[in-house]
Amino acid sequence: MFFCLPLSCKNNGQSSGSNDEPKPDFKEKYFSQILDHFNYNSMGNGTYLQRYLITDQYWKKGHGPIFFYTGNEGDIWAFALNSGFITELAAEQSALLIFAEHRYYGKSLPFGKDSFNIPEVGLLTVEQALADYAVMITDLRKELNAEACPVVVFGGSYGGMLSVYMRLRYPNVVAGALAASAPILSTAGMGDSAQFFRDVTADFENYSPACRDAVEGAFQKLQTLAQLQDYARIKTEFALCKTPSSSQDVHQLNGFLRNAFTLMAMLDYPYSTEFMGNMPAHPVKVACDTMLNRTDLMAALRDTVGIVYNSTGGMTCFDLYALYVECADPTGCGLGFDSLAWDYQACTEIEMCFESNNVTDMFPPMPFTEQQRQQYCARRWGVLPRLGWLKTQFWGDSLLTASNIIFSNGNLDPWANGGIRKSLSSSLIAINIAEGAHHLDLRASNPSDPDSVVKARQKEAEIIAQWVKLERSV
Amino acid sequence: MFFCLPLSCKNNGQSSGSNDEPKPDFKEKYFSQILDHFNYNSMGNGTYLQRYLITDQYWKKGHGPIFFYTGNEGDIWAFALNSGFITELAAEQSALLIFAEHRYYGKSLPFGKDSFNIPEVGLLTVEQALADYAVMITDLRKELNAEACPVVVFGGSYGGMLSVYMRLRYPNVVAGALAASAPILSTAGMGDSAQFFRDVTADFENYSPACRDAVEGAFQKLQTLAQLQDYARIKTEFALCKTPSSSQDVHQLNGFLRNAFTLMAMLDYPYSTEFMGNMPAHPVKVACDTMLNRTDLMAALRDTVGIVYNSTGGMTCFDLYALYVECADPTGCGLGFDSLAWDYQACTEIEMCFESNNVTDMFPPMPFTEQQRQQYCARRWGVLPRLGWLKTQFWGDSLLTASNIIFSNGNLDPWANGGIRKSLSSSLIAINIAEGAHHLDLRASNPSDPDSVVKARQKEAEIIAQWVKLERSV
């Protein structure tokens, strides 16, 4: 799970967003935030500047609700410009709109370029991020004379997890949460390690069983070449910049290839996007059409991953280690500072031991055991992951004492089955979107939207309006 | 609020407890606890030994509930031996009984004798303590094959606050909380600074208006002597070991005297106790009888505070600075390591700006402003208190989304009106005990118990049994 590909990272998210999306007049501001909420005598005995975007252009001042996006693992502009539904809703419900950046991402680096040193990185935790948001909301409400204005939090993916956690932790501060594509179970060690890549595979298989077979066949051909150590041929077939020279290089290639399918499954939107790299409309269809377009399976695979890595067609060869970095998250960490931060989170609180096994999925077996994770994390960050911690801290599936949370998921999204798929009570509501990929519902309305997401957004809007109304009456 | 007086501290709580109380067969154990739950790369990157007491003598193994005392600011034996009601309830409801010691108190010192150095003291926070309990409960349940056993938390005073917070924070771990005399509002900056000493005064006034007048008159005589700088006379009148020589010494004397009344009001039990020093039965009555027994008001005041500081009569003079230490908690921090820890907590998260003003109370005006607190805390601990933080973290009075909490308070207890006095919902239940002092309900049954506490305990027992039953059916 990561939020910028090398190509899109460069523009820092600020020029992305499709032309169809509303363009709210965000002001970029910085909030003087407490560095360490849980230790009064730590190295972090001070403040840092936390970035946030705010617009009151839709707000009925002092009365309309506050819609607050709990920023996740990336530049906050990327989320603001790709979550047009929240803007539309703000306009409809006269809300103040705030997108807050997560500490250690984007420009919210507590220690600048030293933020990823040890021990400075230690203040990157879910709990600190939640406390940031609680403090920011509380202070901004005072500053803006908005103490009577109900706050609803929104988030997608890890940001959706944070929205859930905000409602669990701070129901005194937030009236409700829309958590889109939030895999709160699988990231808390309550998943099945085969689930993720099985569901990636299902997307391609559902489009066409032949597509799955072709991808699997291509990977098998690669394995055969690898066993023969025919590295020159591998270089040619996959248009690599450098000839592989070890099984480690082949492992890297497998990860690089698998990752393209992960992204196309997650971002299988009905129109082209620039959210996480440039993605065509219906990328799974495009991928399968590409896979099935030629008989040379390896060439087909090369062309198919090119949809992700070489969308402009300008790349003459693939630099494996520059385009894909293996990390503690087998679904990918991306590149750049943001990827460091996510790697650290995957090494500490967030559990993501997903593996492909070539039985329930179309990929080569790529085990990722807890032991491998531990070894990597100890070496890379000097930490050991805390198994079960997120489940203890944020309740796992024991959510019945909570209220006012929408868990939306798209059936196309490989993260979906790591989340809440059935309503747990009248105020813990699951919304499943048949034709939806990764938090499609948070994106702006689009003429290509399937009916299922249009209906989901309507339902979300109604429920949120109800929360706001009820909160006022308390 | 503090839990051992100099005289009782020496025995470390282990020999205290009245003869009438049940003597559960506690085993003293140590749990390998994570030092810093919120930073994976901090100085606290390791574990410490957290003490707990456990007995399974009443437990229906693997089925009966777990009654868990969330230890507060003192040696855990003191609480275990003075909370006999929980033991009685464990026997009645076949529960496993655990008393867990709060980090930085008793023998649970994360850095041994260096625990109160800066920065080592920084890991003393409410959040860390709660995480300790959540982790301990989760691990012990596994270890004892008790994962199906509902957990109910108990606590008195600050321990009661922790029990409330456990239910707010970890409803996945604890099914309900009995919070006895937990001043969750006044310690979260939501109180009235005059409340505490007004309510101390009310206890004496309610016994006899003449008593209040006598105490007030005695303090006024002292002030007159102080204005005349007649320090020799003050020494004689109050049997001080050293002649005062400054207004600071007089201030210390006032604090020392006022504190005795605080303790007698808090511990106004109908039988003698050794919980926080040796206290006779009905100390408020004893104090007033002493105050009204002689016409020399200052001598009467001296004799009255002697009930607290010189219960055995063996002390020939009062050493003001040895018997009372001024700190960030105007109701007192006690002495020894435990008092250091409490002072630090009162300098960081716990807000207690109580003042006497001689208008709504019988004491001399002793202002304690936020500014004074800040200056003291910066100088003493290198920290600034975080105003409003506890309210944000633990919901202040916005508790309607919570459930399964009993807020019990005794009407004699000066802490009571800093807590929840009215039920907020059918599962957020206030129980007010007409003749009760500071968490009398947690103490063992006693023939001298007033009817009000007997009834309160019955109600508590019924509600707790109901929680356990409901939790099993989920």
Side-chain angles (χ1 to χ4, degrees):
Chain A
M1 182 157 48
F2 64 92
F3 283 93
C4 76
L5 277 173
L7 293 174
S8 69
C9 282
K10 288 175 195 155
N11 64 28
N12 225 0
Q14 295 197 42
S15 69
S16 67
S18 90
N19 290 329
D20 301 333
E21 299 204 3
K23 291 276 184 297
D25 182 25
F26 282 119
K27 287 188 187 68
E28 184 176 275
K29 294 197 170 188
Y30 286 85
F31 181 84
S32 177
Q33 185 59 267
I34 288 166
L35 245 174
D36 191 343
H37 296 278
F38 305 110
N39 187 332
Y40 289 71
N41 289 100
S42 77
M43 57 162 187
N45 200 357
T47 57
Y48 78 97
L49 292 176
Q50 182 176 18
R51 184 164 60 161
Y52 66 102
L53 313 178
I54 186 166
T55 177
D56 63 2
Q57 71 196 95
Y58 312 112
W59 192 35
K60 191 172 170 189
K61 277 193 183 133
H63 184 78
I66 299 170
F67 291 171
F68 186 96
Y69 187 91
T70 52
N72 35 316
E73 71 279 29
D75 187 295
I76 193 59
W77 276 107
F79 304 115
L81 297 175
N82 282 281
S83 305
F85 169 60
I86 309 175
T87 302
E88 294 168 6
L89 207 62
E92 192 182 303
Q93 303 192 4
S94 307
L96 177 67
L97 191 56
I98 300 172
F99 279 76
E101 191 162 72
H102 192 297
R103 59 166 57 199
Y104 287 83
Y105 291 95
K107 292 195 173 168
S108 299
L109 300 178
F111 301 93
K113 65 179 174 42
D114 296 326
S115 297
F116 300 98
N117 294 351
I118 296 169
E120 284 85 350
V121 70
L123 296 176
L124 169 54
T125 66
V126 172
E127 290 82 1
Q128 298 277 8
L130 297 174
D132 283 348
Y133 295 144
V135 167
M136 185 191 278
I137 292 170
T138 304
D139 285 8
L140 290 182
R141 277 171 105 180
K142 263 185 219 150
E143 186 186 316
L144 299 168
N145 289 317
E147 284 176 289
C149 303
V151 178
V152 177
V153 284
F154 295 78
S157 198
Y158 168 53
M161 291 163 55
L162 295 173
S163 287
V164 173
Y165 301 163
M166 281 301 288
R167 177 63 189 167
L168 303 186
R169 272 298 168 80
Y170 299 103
N172 52 323
V173 176
V174 308
L178 170 54
S181 302
I184 59 167
L185 301 181
S186 57
T187 55
M190 301 182 76
D192 162 3
S193 63
Q195 174 263 316
F196 187 86
F197 292 107
R198 184 184 68 217
D199 290 353
V200 171
T201 300
D203 282 351
F204 295 87
E205 187 167 5
N206 286 342
Y207 179 74
S208 152
C211 178
R212 174 203 162 121
D213 293 345
V215 174
E216 193 162 7
F219 272 109
Q220 273 158 3
K221 283 189 182 289
L222 167 58
Q223 300 328 105
T224 305
L225 290 185
Q227 275 156 12
L228 297 169
Q229 301 196 3
D230 192 348
Y231 295 133
R233 175 92 188 276
I234 291 174
K235 173 178 188 287
T236 314
E237 289 287 356
F238 290 96
L240 307 183
C241 300
K242 278 178 69 179
T243 310
S245 63
S246 66
S247 61
Q248 174 52 42
D249 287 347
V250 174
H251 176 80
Q252 177 72 16
L253 174 58
N254 278 324
F256 164 84
L257 296 170
R258 187 180 69 176
N259 197 54
F261 289 91
T262 295
L263 283 165
M264 291 187 287
M266 281 172 62
L267 305 171
D268 192 22
Y269 301 129
Y271 47 87
S272 68
T273 57
E274 294 171 35
F275 177 36
M276 294 162 71
N278 297 316
M279 201 58 82
H282 296 295
V284 168
K285 175 183 182 302
V286 175
C288 284
D289 292 350
T290 307
M291 274 312 296
L292 299 172
N293 192 36
R294 51 200 297 177
T295 47
D296 180 345
L297 285 182
M298 284 190 290
L301 183 55
R302 181 191 65 218
D303 292 353
T304 301
V305 303
I307 297 166
V308 172
Y309 296 114
N310 191 18
S311 60
T312 59
M315 207 175 268
T316 55
C317 64
F318 293 130
D319 181 341
L320 286 186
Y321 290 92
L323 291 169
Y324 174 70
V325 176
E326 198 173 45
C327 70
D329 176 356
T331 75
C333 282
L335 300 165
F337 267 8
D338 289 344
S339 71
L340 289 180
W342 186 244
D343 189 37
Y344 184 76
Q345 294 202 262
C347 268
T348 49
E349 296 176 288
I350 317 278
E351 303 184 23
M352 280 171 306
C353 283
F354 295 123
E355 312 177 300
S356 54
N357 55 34
N358 199 238
V359 178
T360 54
D361 58 62
M362 64 191 179
F363 304 109
M366 295 179 77
F368 185 63
T369 62
E370 194 51 49
Q371 201 190 358
Q372 284 175 287
R373 184 183 175 218
Q374 285 182 12
Q375 283 168 356
Y376 170 81
C377 296
R379 197 176 64 236
R380 176 63 186 88
W381 295 107
V383 297
L384 281 182
R386 277 185 70 183
L387 299 184
W389 171 245
L390 216 62
K391 184 181 169 191
T392 298
Q393 280 292 93
F394 302 109
W395 313 3
D397 58 356
S398 300
L399 294 166
L400 285 180
T401 56
S403 60
N404 292 10
I405 304 174
I406 301 170
F407 302 93
S408 70
N409 279 292
N411 291 355
L412 305 179
D413 181 11
W415 292 103
N417 289 322
I420 302 292
R421 299 284 265 162
K422 285 182 188 165
S423 294
L424 302 172
S425 74
S426 62
S427 74
L428 296 171
I429 301 160
I431 295 182
N432 295 309
I433 304 163
E435 294 102 345
H438 202 46
H439 48 71
L440 172 62
D441 49 333
L442 290 190
R443 300 188 63 82
S445 301
N446 187 293
S448 310
D449 278 333
D451 196 43
S452 57
V453 79
V454 174
K455 284 193 173 138
R457 290 191 191 119
Q458 281 167 356
K459 190 169 173 189
E460 289 164 3
E462 281 162 26
I463 295 167
I464 288 165
Q466 195 61 26
W467 290 342
V468 169
K469 198 175 152 189
L470 277 173
E471 182 78 2
R472 286 194 202 289
S473 68
V474 172
Chain B
M1 184 158 46
F2 63 91
F3 282 95
C4 75
L5 277 173
L7 294 174
S8 69
C9 282
K10 288 176 195 154
N11 66 27
N12 226 359
Q14 295 198 42
S15 70
S16 69
S18 89
N19 289 330
D20 301 332
E21 299 205 3
K23 292 274 183 297
D25 182 25
F26 282 120
K27 286 188 187 70
E28 184 177 274
K29 294 196 170 190
Y30 286 85
F31 182 84
S32 177
Q33 185 60 267
I34 288 165
L35 245 174
D36 192 343
H37 296 278
F38 305 110
N39 187 332
Y40 289 71
N41 290 100
S42 76
M43 58 162 185
N45 200 358
T47 57
Y48 78 97
L49 291 176
Q50 183 176 17
R51 184 164 61 160
Y52 67 101
L53 312 178
I54 186 167
T55 178
D56 63 2
Q57 71 196 95
Y58 312 113
W59 193 35
K60 191 172 171 190
K61 277 197 180 130
H63 184 76
I66 298 171
F67 290 171
F68 186 96
Y69 187 92
T70 53
N72 35 316
E73 70 280 26
D75 186 295
I76 193 59
W77 276 107
F79 304 114
L81 297 175
N82 282 281
S83 305
F85 170 60
I86 309 174
T87 302
E88 293 168 6
L89 207 63
E92 190 181 304
Q93 303 192 4
S94 308
L96 177 67
L97 191 56
I98 300 173
F99 279 76
E101 191 162 73
H102 192 296
R103 59 166 57 200
Y104 287 84
Y105 291 94
K107 292 195 172 168
S108 300
L109 300 178
F111 301 94
K113 66 180 173 42
D114 296 326
S115 297
F116 301 98
N117 295 351
I118 296 169
E120 283 85 350
V121 70
L123 296 176
L124 169 54
T125 66
V126 173
E127 291 81 0
Q128 297 277 8
L130 297 174
D132 283 347
Y133 296 144
V135 167
M136 184 190 277
I137 292 170
T138 304
D139 285 9
L140 289 182
R141 277 170 107 180
K142 263 187 217 147
E143 187 186 315
L144 299 169
N145 290 318
E147 284 175 289
C149 303
V151 178
V152 177
V153 284
F154 296 77
S157 197
Y158 168 53
M161 292 162 54
L162 294 172
S163 287
V164 173
Y165 301 164
M166 282 300 288
R167 177 63 188 167
L168 303 185
R169 274 297 169 81
Y170 299 102
N172 51 322
V173 176
V174 308
L178 169 55
S181 303
I184 60 166
L185 301 181
S186 58
T187 55
M190 301 180 76
D192 162 3
S193 63
Q195 174 263 315
F196 188 85
F197 292 108
R198 184 184 66 218
D199 290 352
V200 171
T201 299
D203 283 351
F204 295 87
E205 188 168 5
N206 287 341
Y207 179 74
S208 151
C211 179
R212 178 206 159 120
D213 293 345
V215 174
E216 195 163 2
F219 272 109
Q220 272 158 2
K221 282 189 183 288
L222 167 58
Q223 299 329 103
T224 304
L225 291 185
Q227 275 156 10
L228 297 170
Q229 302 196 2
D230 192 348
Y231 294 134
R233 174 94 187 274
I234 292 174
K235 174 178 187 286
T236 313
E237 290 287 355
F238 290 96
L240 307 184
C241 300
K242 278 177 68 177
T243 311
S245 62
S246 65
S247 62
Q248 175 52 43
D249 287 347
V250 175
H251 177 79
Q252 177 72 16
L253 173 58
N254 277 324
F256 164 83
L257 296 170
R258 187 181 68 176
N259 197 54
F261 289 91
T262 297
L263 283 164
M264 291 187 287
M266 282 172 61
L267 305 172
D268 192 22
Y269 301 130
Y271 48 86
S272 68
T273 57
E274 293 171 35
F275 176 37
M276 291 162 71
N278 296 315
M279 200 60 81
H282 296 296
V284 169
K285 175 183 182 304
V286 175
C288 285
D289 292 350
T290 307
M291 274 311 296
L292 298 172
N293 192 37
R294 50 199 297 177
T295 47
D296 178 346
L297 285 181
M298 284 191 290
L301 183 54
R302 181 191 65 217
D303 291 353
T304 302
V305 303
I307 298 166
V308 172
Y309 295 115
N310 191 18
S311 59
T312 58
M315 206 175 268
T316 54
C317 64
F318 293 130
D319 181 341
L320 286 186
Y321 289 92
L323 291 169
Y324 175 69
V325 176
E326 198 173 46
C327 71
D329 176 356
T331 75
C333 281
L335 300 165
F337 268 8
D338 289 344
S339 71
L340 289 181
W342 186 244
D343 189 36
Y344 185 76
Q345 295 202 260
C347 268
T348 50
E349 296 176 290
I350 316 278
E351 302 184 24
M352 281 172 304
C353 283
F354 297 124
E355 311 177 301
S356 53
N357 55 34
N358 199 238
V359 177
T360 53
D361 57 63
M362 63 191 180
F363 304 110
M366 296 179 76
F368 184 63
T369 63
E370 194 50 49
Q371 201 190 357
Q372 284 175 287
R373 183 183 176 217
Q374 285 183 12
Q375 283 168 356
Y376 170 81
C377 296
R379 196 175 65 236
R380 176 63 187 87
W381 295 106
V383 298
L384 281 182
R386 278 185 69 184
L387 298 183
W389 171 245
L390 216 62
K391 184 180 168 192
T392 298
Q393 280 291 93
F394 302 109
W395 313 4
D397 58 356
S398 300
L399 294 167
L400 285 179
T401 56
S403 60
N404 292 11
I405 304 175
I406 301 169
F407 302 93
S408 69
N409 278 293
N411 292 355
L412 304 180
D413 182 11
W415 292 103
N417 289 323
I420 302 292
R421 299 284 265 161
K422 285 183 188 165
S423 295
L424 302 171
S425 75
S426 62
S427 74
L428 295 171
I429 301 160
I431 295 181
N432 295 310
I433 304 163
E435 295 101 344
H438 202 45
H439 48 70
L440 172 61
D441 49 333
L442 290 191
R443 301 188 63 82
S445 301
N446 187 293
S448 310
D449 279 333
D451 196 42
S452 57
V453 79
V454 174
K455 284 193 173 139
R457 290 192 191 118
Q458 281 167 356
K459 191 169 173 189
E460 289 165 2
E462 280 162 27
I463 295 167
I464 288 165
Q466 194 61 25
W467 290 341
V468 169
K469 198 175 153 191
L470 277 173
E471 182 79 3
R472 287 195 202 290
S473 67
V474 171

